[in-house]
Amino acid sequence: MSDITEKIYQFPDGFLWGSSTSGPQTEGIVEGDGKGMSNWDYWYSIEPERFYAEIGPENTSTFYKHYKSDIKLLNDTGHTVFRTSIQWSRLIPSGKGNINQEAIQFYREAFSAIKEEGVKLIVNLYHFDLPYCLQELGGWESKEIVYAFEAYAKTCFELFGDLVDSWITFNEPIVPVECGYLGNYHYPCKVDMKAAVQVAYNTQLASSLAVKACHETHSDYKICVVLNLTPAYPRSDSKEDKKAAKIAELFQTKSFLDPSVLGYYPEELISILKEHDLLPQWTPEELDIINDNKVDFLGVNYYQPLRVQAPDEGPKDKLTLESFFAPYDMPGKKINPHRGWEIYEKGIYDIGMNLKENYGNIEWLVTENGMGVEGEEKFRENGFIQDDYRIEFIQDHLIELHRAIQGGSNCKGYMLWTFIDCWSWLNAYKNRYGLIELDLETEERIIKKSGYWFKELSQNNGFRK
Ligand code: BG6
């Protein structure tokens, strides 16, 4: 008998349920697969100690080997949509020119198998992974890479457009900017704000050129960019804290959201960059490309909010993000103790309403949300992981998403990070996110409690709580 205090959260007809992952985090490298070296492969070869447990990008979740049986698990876990990415370094090993025939065969077979399961397929072109030879040519600081990306994108649309339902230009393009050019977390580990701004601008231009190429290849093809639209909440109502939050939002959210959806950069961002002599090299023709090629819809990744406060001192000689705003560690915040990240479900509602009110109520999907858990094997009981905490995490975010949809926000689906536990950049397999456990020793895949629950969620198109 159902509890009368329970509420039913029913989602609109046709709402999509699924998960997201990426090529570099799942495929692995197999002898004779013809894959070229990416920036991650190269970095691991010179500094393996920077990777958790020294597990590098060649040892990802063996999808290249097991894709046929992995894809069979999509239906067992209720997927009506699935997202992954093509590795540029697998398809075009030297970044430009020759195409790897093995890669064409692999991606065509994998994509066809997903379609045969009746699952909608969304494919991303870039998930932090640049062919290393292009890094040597200057990476994203160079316009040459922008045009190499455009050519790569066109190749993908032509080779796989018949199998892909929707495309993504970039996943979280702010992350390589912040981690690779401001924070020394990702290769090339530079700390240089001027270079960071150029990288961000060039990436946006590349994204807009891919939108153009997609629509030119086939007028029906739909394409988006995936942004981590983490709202920036100020510590207090003071003028200084509010200004810091506004700048944080300009740098970390609006720098890609506005040009991608509205076709132009916010005036306030341009004036801050001008004031600090940070404007990138640009041309009026490039701004026209950005203006003319807006995305058809938006993917949104949301894990945790950004809480900020005014910086201690004003901008110093060497500008960094901390010259403009500082992180705020809010006392009493709700936390995921297994990953250390704040849990703030209302953030997803705020994102939905922001898109409705300020971005023409553009169609959007939650393309990532999820809960990383360190040491998850301790929750194994009766042979599988009893991850009630993940079910609760998803439910609580869905309640806020449901509220946003009721409020008129145009959200069409929810995709969890992730399908099968996957390798994650510097953290390797430390934080498990999947609906399905991966046994690293045996390569066995075991559905978690959340995987069975997710199937019910999808079949019922909602849940009670
Ligand atoms: C997302 C990325 O932001 O975070 C994924 O798009 C990544 O690629 C995920 O794996 C989780 O990150 P982490 O560091 O907790 O493993």
Side-chain angles (χ1 to χ4, degrees):
M1 221 170 62
S2 63
D3 179 347
I4 52 161
T5 60
E6 276 184 348
K7 276 196 179 157
I8 298 174
Y9 297 94
Q10 196 65 39
F11 283 75
D13 285 349
F15 195 78
L16 296 167
W17 299 103
S19 70
S20 286
T21 192
S22 78
Q25 294 178 266
T26 56
E27 290 169 9
I29 298 173
V30 168
E31 182 91 27
D33 64 6
K35 184 185 170 308
M37 193 184 251
S38 74
N39 49 349
W40 290 92
D41 302 319
Y42 174 73
W43 191 24
Y44 181 68
S45 75
I46 56 164
E47 287 191 285
E49 66 284 357
R50 294 206 56 177
F51 294 70
Y52 181 76
E54 298 205 4
I55 299 177
E58 82 278 21
N59 277 327
T60 59
S61 319
T62 60
F63 182 73
Y64 194 86
K65 211 162 108 187
H66 296 298
Y67 70 89
K68 288 189 180 137
S69 46
D70 283 353
I71 287 166
K72 292 275 171 227
L73 295 169
L74 288 171
N75 269 321
D76 294 342
T77 44
H79 283 71
T80 56
V81 64
F82 179 65
R83 163 194 160 205
T84 187
S85 74
I86 293 172
Q87 292 197 72
W88 186 351
S89 59
R90 180 181 295 290
L91 188 67
I92 309 179
S94 333
K96 301 187 211 179
N98 284 348
I99 301 174
N100 171 13
Q101 297 303 315
E102 302 285 332
I104 301 181
Q105 192 183 338
F106 163 66
Y107 287 121
R108 283 205 66 87
E109 282 182 8
F111 295 169
S112 304
I114 294 166
K115 301 302 300 164
E116 277 159 27
E117 292 297 306
V119 174
K120 190 176 159 92
L121 173 65
I122 305 185
V123 173
N124 176 23
L125 297 171
Y126 194 89
H127 202 118
F128 312 162
D129 56 323
L130 185 69
Y132 177 65
C133 40
L134 299 184
Q135 186 66 53
E136 281 184 309
L137 295 178
W140 286 106
E141 283 178 75
S142 155
K143 292 269 163 76
E144 196 180 333
I145 305 316
V146 172
Y147 293 97
F149 180 81
E150 183 192 23
Y152 154 66
K154 271 188 191 155
T155 305
C156 291
F157 304 140
E158 282 159 10
L159 287 173
F160 311 114
D162 59 322
L163 298 171
V164 173
D165 292 293
S166 313
W167 291 94
I168 298 168
T169 60
F170 286 83
N171 175 74
E172 300 185 352
I174 195 70
V175 168
V177 175
E178 265 190 277
C179 294
Y181 293 85
L182 291 169
N184 187 14
Y185 294 120
H186 286 185
Y187 197 76
C189 307
K190 271 193 173 182
V191 180
D192 177 343
M193 196 130 181
K194 183 113 182 154
V197 173
Q198 189 69 56
V199 167
Y201 173 75
N202 288 352
T203 311
Q204 177 59 52
L205 179 60
S207 177
S208 303
L209 282 165
V211 171
K212 181 168 184 274
C214 182
H215 293 151
E216 282 172 1
T217 309
H218 202 297
S219 56
D220 282 350
Y221 288 179
K222 295 274 180 265
I223 189 159
C224 75
V225 64
V226 165
L227 303 177
N228 40 332
L229 293 186
T230 303
Y233 299 100
R235 167 181 57 181
S236 74
D237 275 344
S238 76
K239 205 167 81 225
E240 295 76 16
D241 284 344
K242 279 163 72 179
K243 181 175 170 205
K246 188 149 201 215
I247 297 182
E249 199 166 79
L250 283 171
F251 280 145
Q252 301 197 303
T253 308
K254 285 171 158 275
S255 54
F256 284 100
L257 179 60
D258 286 25
S260 296
V261 176
L262 306 175
Y264 51 83
Y265 283 97
E267 275 308 322
E268 295 127 300
L269 179 61
I270 297 172
S271 65
I272 294 172
L273 296 180
K274 234 186 226 163
E275 187 189 330
H276 296 284
D277 189 27
L278 290 170
L279 279 181
Q281 286 182 345
W282 61 279
T283 67
E285 294 73 30
E286 290 167 354
L287 292 187
D288 285 345
I289 291 170
I290 293 173
N291 195 258
D292 292 343
N293 296 286
K294 291 161 213 145
V295 290
D296 300 309
F297 66 105
L298 203 61
V300 175
N301 294 352
Y302 177 68
Y303 289 89
Q304 55 173 341
L306 179 66
R307 302 212 180 261
V308 298
Q309 59 187 20
D312 291 340
E313 296 159 37
K316 305 178 201 91
D317 285 356
K318 177 141 179 125
L319 279 182
T320 64
L321 281 186
E322 288 75 41
S323 317
F324 299 95
F325 58 90
Y328 168 53
D329 187 7
M330 188 177 79
K333 66 188 175 196
K334 179 171 166 189
I335 203 135
N336 161 10
H338 315 292
R339 172 71 178 88
W341 282 356
E342 181 179 351
I343 299 180
Y344 185 64
E345 301 87 352
K346 183 175 172 284
I348 217 161
Y349 172 82
D350 291 343
I351 291 171
M353 297 325 272
N354 181 31
L355 294 179
K356 179 184 171 212
E357 278 149 26
N358 303 312
Y359 294 90
N361 207 13
I362 186 167
E363 181 179 319
W364 64 290
L365 295 166
V366 176
T367 36
E368 284 180 37
N369 175 230
M371 187 177 185
V373 174
E374 191 175 347
E376 196 165 43
E377 61 284 354
K378 64 176 171 279
F379 296 104
R380 190 180 294 105
E381 237 179 76
N382 304 323
F384 64 104
I385 305 278
Q386 308 283 334
D387 52 346
D388 295 277
Y389 43 82
R390 181 168 289 112
I391 296 172
E392 190 179 322
F393 177 98
I394 300 171
Q395 286 175 332
D396 291 348
H397 282 82
L398 286 177
I399 289 172
E400 289 297 322
L401 182 62
H402 188 264
R403 192 157 75 89
I405 295 170
Q406 298 283 299
S409 189
N410 199 6
C411 180
K412 301 290 190 195
Y414 175 88
M415 302 166 83
L416 187 78
W417 187 268
T418 189
F419 175 39
I420 300 170
D421 289 337
C422 66
W423 178 85
S424 185
W425 319 111
L426 301 181
N427 289 324
Y429 288 94
K430 184 163 79 148
N431 309 308
R432 302 295 186 114
Y433 283 87
L435 292 170
I436 299 172
E437 181 193 3
L438 172 69
D439 184 320
L440 292 184
E441 297 295 316
T442 62
E443 298 181 1
E444 198 186 345
R445 280 80 165 136
I446 310 158
I447 300 181
K448 299 179 193 174
K449 185 171 179 184
S450 60
Y452 295 109
W453 175 82
F454 203 82
K455 181 166 187 175
E456 275 175 39
L457 168 75
S458 166
Q459 283 173 336
N460 297 332
N461 200 29
F463 66 99
R464 287 171 178 273
K465 186 163 177 167

